[in-house]
Amino acid sequence: MTRKIIIDTDPGQDDAVAILLALASPELEVLGITCVAGNVPLALTSLNARKVCELAGRPDVKVFAGCEAPLMRPLVTAEHVHGKTGLDGVELPAPQMPLQQAHAVDFLIETLRSEPAGSVTLCPLGPLTNIALALRKAPDIAGRVQEIVLMGGAYFEVGNITPAAEFNIYVDPEAADIVFRSGISITLMPLDLTHKALVTAGRVAAFRALGNRVGEVVAGWTDFFERFDKAKYGSEGAPLHDPTVIGWLLAPGLYSGRHINVEIETRSDLTRGMTVADWWGVTARAPNATFMGEIDAEGFFALLTERLARL
Ligand code: BDR
Ligand code: CA
């Protein structure tokens, strides 16, 4: 049986690879892609998502534009990592497929209400604005989501956009707070995990050696956005954050983590957007999320490469 998912995203090269991985995987049925402002503004994320669907040969996928800005704050973007377009590194043709008319938040609500309860998984790969707004507008959908598997947060690795906060949570901490208090089952892929899935030179070479257009493009993207993290961390490769969400849906045995309490700092100017994770169980706060900590990087990249070869 296939698993129904909605990918909520701000592409971003790593978001793009996550979308490709999902579209290459017969175990998953992508009901729609909802775009949000994040790495770059909404006009670009909703354009990029369609370019990626067309690259995958899937112009039939429904792509929706959602929120242009976080719930309560001005947008913070990450062109310093992803380039001006969000997908710098390879130029893709302008998409022919249309953007859907409906707002992403309405699509989320309508889909969760019309599909059988407990049958749709949400996969947020950017700031949580669309998901939080949907929960605010339609609190009944919380009980209908199968689970949320998201990329965001950090504990031992602390921040990548501030010393304390990971980008997706930092951009819209109020939205993240709504999601983490929603009672929905949450699994998160924090920096602690994604920093163990580095795109080394050998792994980029394996993408390039696939011999298809997708392999060339993914190698071009990873070459581009790697330069930032390699310089920053002095590591042999950069993390490929967002595909770890889809990887977990396909092969959860490659991952391990802890079911713990995770709360979002929204008030402090210094640590806003921090995921305060009770990894050591030092509070009596109820667990609300599975916080992943380890990944079998070899297994993950083997899976990713094998799937991209199918496109
Ligand atoms: C996250 O922020 C974005 O830059 C990436 O696409 C990823 O979702 C990593 O902190
Ligand atoms: Ca992202």
Side-chain angles (χ1 to χ4, degrees):
M1 211 180 97
T2 57
R3 178 172 185 153
K4 294 176 184 174
I5 66 170
I6 298 174
I7 302 176
D8 187 74
T9 177
D10 62 337
Q13 294 90 346
D14 60 325
D15 300 74
V17 179
I19 293 169
L20 292 173
L21 176 58
L23 294 179
S25 297
E27 300 92 330
L28 304 176
E29 182 187 351
V30 180
L31 298 179
I33 296 179
T34 53
C35 300
V36 68
N39 286 322
V40 285
L42 182 69
L44 285 172
T45 61
S46 54
L47 181 81
N48 291 345
R50 286 177 291 148
K51 287 183 177 176
V52 175
C53 291
E54 289 191 358
L55 173 67
R58 292 292 307 276
D60 57 299
V61 175
K62 292 184 190 154
V63 176
F64 300 83
C67 298
E68 250 168 354
L71 296 181
M72 295 172 56
R73 301 176 188 278
L75 177 65
V76 175
T77 52
E79 285 88 355
H80 60 293
V81 183
H82 301 274
K84 228 163 71 153
T85 65
L87 285 185
D88 278 23
V90 181
E91 200 162 328
L92 292 178
Q96 301 297 305
M97 62 188 279
L99 193 57
Q100 299 294 309
Q101 293 286 312
H103 191 283
V105 170
D106 295 327
F107 169 74
L108 282 161
I109 295 171
E110 277 156 27
T111 307
L112 286 163
R113 283 180 176 163
S114 61
E115 293 288 338
S119 70
V120 178
T121 295
L122 303 181
C123 301
L125 310 177
L128 289 159
T129 320
N130 287 341
I131 310 295
L133 196 59
L135 288 166
R136 246 200 204 163
K137 274 182 86 172
D140 57 290
I141 62 172
R144 303 187 64 84
V145 176
Q146 181 176 0
E147 61 182 313
I148 294 179
V149 185
L150 66 90
M151 192 278 137
Y155 181 64
F156 296 99
E157 288 284 306
V158 273
N160 63 355
I161 185 76
T162 72
E166 180 280 328
F167 179 79
N168 289 341
I169 306 294
Y170 176 78
V171 172
D172 200 342
E174 286 76 18
D177 189 44
I178 290 172
V179 171
F180 277 79
R181 290 179 192 281
S182 67
I184 300 170
S185 164
I186 296 175
T187 297
L188 68 151
M189 306 298 159
L191 297 180
D192 308 283
L193 174 122
T194 66
H195 285 184
K196 292 170 183 153
L198 301 181
V199 195
T200 56
R203 289 169 181 159
V204 180
F207 296 145
R208 204 163 262 128
L210 288 176
N212 60 5
R213 174 75 180 138
V214 165
E216 249 173 64
V217 171
V218 170
W221 282 336
T222 45
D223 270 348
F224 177 85
F225 84 87
E226 272 202 321
R227 84 216 179 287
F228 177 78
D229 277 335
K230 272 162 90 172
K232 179 170 154 196
Y233 298 115
S235 52
E236 51 161 352
L240 192 58
H241 306 282
D242 295 338
T244 61
V245 165
I246 306 299
W248 186 83
L249 299 177
L250 300 170
L254 297 175
Y255 298 67
S256 64
R258 292 187 184 182
H259 190 56
I260 59 172
N261 178 269
V262 179
E263 301 206 358
I264 311 296
E265 175 59 59
T266 55
R267 281 162 298 191
S268 157
D269 282 342
L270 193 61
T271 58
R272 179 179 307 137
M274 187 172 192
T275 42
V276 180
D278 190 7
W279 182 264
W280 299 115
V282 293
T283 75
R285 298 197 284 259
N288 61 338
T290 301
F291 194 97
M292 289 297 170
E294 297 292 334
I295 182 166
D296 168 354
E298 281 303 322
F300 168 73
F301 278 98
L303 173 70
L304 175 61
T305 311
E306 182 268 315
R307 291 305 165 98
L308 295 180
R310 300 184 188 192
L311 291 172

